[in-house]
């Protein structure tokens, strides 16, 4: 659909992306899919729950934020773009991951296979030097899309297609348990009069 040959380095990279992003424990979208499945909802409904959750800017929407950072890097220079965000105590999209302080293994598996374009490579070096943060899977997907000449929405599309397989697996597993996911909540505010 994007004009890439069915074989070769580009196709291999896309296959690797699909495998590495299909599942990631109980992240927000997988948990939402499992909750929906626990009610007896259909597989399609479980996937819709996952997709609705993925649409948030703190999950699947990270790609757009990386695009903004790349635009800042082009306008200000990579080191200044990173320094400005850090000085403003702003999130550095595409870098760092709370589960992987030493670096996201999915990004580590993909980045050596990507012919980084000069602006992307410069941002990577600036973020590592200025923030001491390693790239995460979001950065790797944006870098892959850029290197392959894919449309801007390709990272989200690849991530979503892969995750659909993961959500279905979670939903099937949850459905087989025949138990409803029902977390409890405890009020911790002031005691009522």
């Amino acid at each position: 659909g994007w004009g890439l040959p069915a074989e070769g380095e580009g196709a291999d990279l896309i296959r690797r992306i699909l495998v590495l992003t299909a599942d990631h424990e109980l992240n927000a979208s997988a948990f939402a899919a499992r909750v929906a499945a626990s009610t007896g909802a259909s597989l399609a409904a479980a996937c819709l729950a996952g997709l609705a959750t993925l649409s948030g800017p703190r999950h699947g929407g990270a790609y757009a934020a990386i695009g903004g950072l790349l635009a800042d890097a082009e306008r200000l220079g990579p080191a200044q773009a990173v320094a400005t965000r850090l000085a403003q105590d702003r999130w550095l999209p595409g870098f760092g991951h709370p589960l992987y302080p030493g670096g996201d293994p999915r990004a580590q598996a993909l980045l050596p296979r990507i012919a980084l374009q000069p602006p992307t490579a410069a941002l990577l070096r600036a973020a590592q030097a200025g923030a001491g943060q390693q790239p995460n899977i979001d950065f790797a997907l944006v870098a892959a899309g850029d290197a392959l000449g894919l449309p801007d929405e390709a990272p989200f599309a690849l991530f979503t297609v892969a995750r659909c397989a993961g959500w279905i697996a979670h939903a099937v597993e949850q459905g087989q348990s025949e138990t409803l996911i029902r977390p409890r909540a405890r009020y911790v505010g002031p005691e009522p009069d």
Side-chain angles (χ1 to χ4, degrees), residues 36-97:
S38 81
T39 70
S42 68
L43 291 178
C47 282
L48 285 173
L51 182 60
T53 306
L54 185 67
S55 72
R58 291 187 207 109
H59 196 5
Y63 308 106
I66 296 168
L69 179 58
L70 280 165
D72 287 349
E74 186 175 320
R75 186 171 44 83
L76 303 170
Q80 186 59 49
V82 169
T84 298
R85 284 185 180 250
L86 295 175
Q88 296 170 346
D89 199 25
R90 291 174 59 200
W91 168 53
L92 198 60
F95 294 89
H97 193 290

Side-chain angles (χ1 to χ4, degrees), residues 89-116:
D89 199 25
R90 291 174 59 200
W91 168 53
L92 198 60
F95 294 89
H97 193 290
L99 297 181
Y100 308 116
D104 187 333
R106 301 165 299 169
Q108 292 168 355
L110 290 173
L111 285 170
R113 299 177 178 282
I114 299 170
L116 295 178

Side-chain angles (χ1 to χ4, degrees), residues 23-32 59 106 159 163 167 170:
D23 188 48
H24 195 228
E25 301 177 15
L26 280 178
N27 60 43
S29 58
F31 186 66
H59 196 5
R106 301 165 299 169
F159 192 81
R163 279 293 158 93
W167 296 330
H170 275 281

